[in-house]
Amino acid sequence: ILFIGEAPGRDEDKEGKPFVGRAGKLLTEILAAINLERRDVYIANTVKCRPPNNRNPSSEEVNFCADYLEKQIELINPKVIVLLGKVAADRVIKNESSMAELRKRTFFLESKNIPIIVFYHPAYLLRNPVEKRKVWEDLIYLKSILEEYDC
């Protein structure tokens, strides 16, 4: 499973690894809920450098890193891609729908037949704890995709 977020935060920038701060800790807990560990998945971001003031990456920044992300996807050749948040969803599936509309739907990578699903970004869940219960629905959906596509 390939998880794709938006951009490194301060902690990720310092360590050079994705999702190592508070959002990363929550992602680790989310994975554990379905008996996965971080070593069982690959985690990447749409852009590879932290945008100034931790803002969302601009379309120019996303485009600048596009080839790198495409190469990561090609090399990893995941069975399933999970997009974490709206920025990653906009970049990979080019769908401007709301997060509520994107969740619990299956999209496919154009160049391959890889199923793609969308989860709320862990940083969003930390800011909006009431939404955390929706993660369980997303995990159940992920498990159904894994079963349906024999992953």
Side-chain angles (χ1 to χ4, degrees):
I1 303 170
L2 170 60
F3 286 82
I4 301 174
E6 62 183 50
R10 184 186 66 238
D11 295 324
E12 290 78 9
D13 227 21
K14 283 182 185 175
E15 291 193 38
K17 297 177 184 176
F19 286 88
V20 293
R22 290 178 55 226
K25 182 179 181 216
L26 180 56
L27 180 58
T28 299
E29 292 170 6
I30 290 168
L31 293 172
I34 57 169
N35 299 317
L36 288 175
E37 295 182 31
R38 288 179 70 110
R39 68 176 183 227
D40 299 325
V41 302
Y42 193 91
I43 304 170
N45 281 306
T46 58
V47 298
K48 309 309 174 188
C49 302
R50 180 177 181 226
N53 301 317
N54 208 31
R55 64 166 165 70
N56 284 344
S58 68
S59 58
E60 182 179 76
E61 291 163 332
V62 169
N63 290 335
F64 186 77
C65 295
D67 289 343
Y68 193 100
L69 180 61
E70 296 299 324
K71 190 65 172 178
Q72 281 182 300
I73 293 169
E74 179 185 326
L75 290 171
I76 295 162
N77 194 27
K79 303 279 189 204
V80 176
I81 296 174
V82 177
L83 304 175
L84 299 169
K86 187 82 173 96
V87 171
D90 288 349
R91 156 61 181 94
V92 176
I93 58 176
K94 297 170 180 56
N95 186 319
E96 306 246 342
S97 298
S98 71
M99 282 298 296
E101 295 169 320
L102 294 171
R103 290 178 56 248
K104 297 192 280 184
R105 288 180 55 196
T106 305
F107 302 88
F108 290 89
L109 191 62
E110 294 171 9
S111 60
K112 301 180 180 208
N113 199 28
I114 300 172
I116 300 172
I117 62 174
V118 181
F119 280 20
Y120 283 114
H121 193 287
Y124 170 81
L125 297 170
L126 289 170
R127 292 188 306 272
N128 300 282
V130 72
E131 300 287 6
K132 283 185 182 180
R133 65 179 152 226
K134 292 181 180 174
V135 172
W136 187 246
E137 297 169 0
D138 293 338
L139 290 171
I140 291 169
Y141 190 72
L142 172 59
K143 286 187 80 95
S144 75
I145 295 299
L146 293 171
E147 290 171 8
E148 181 177 346
Y149 293 94
D150 200 29
C151 301

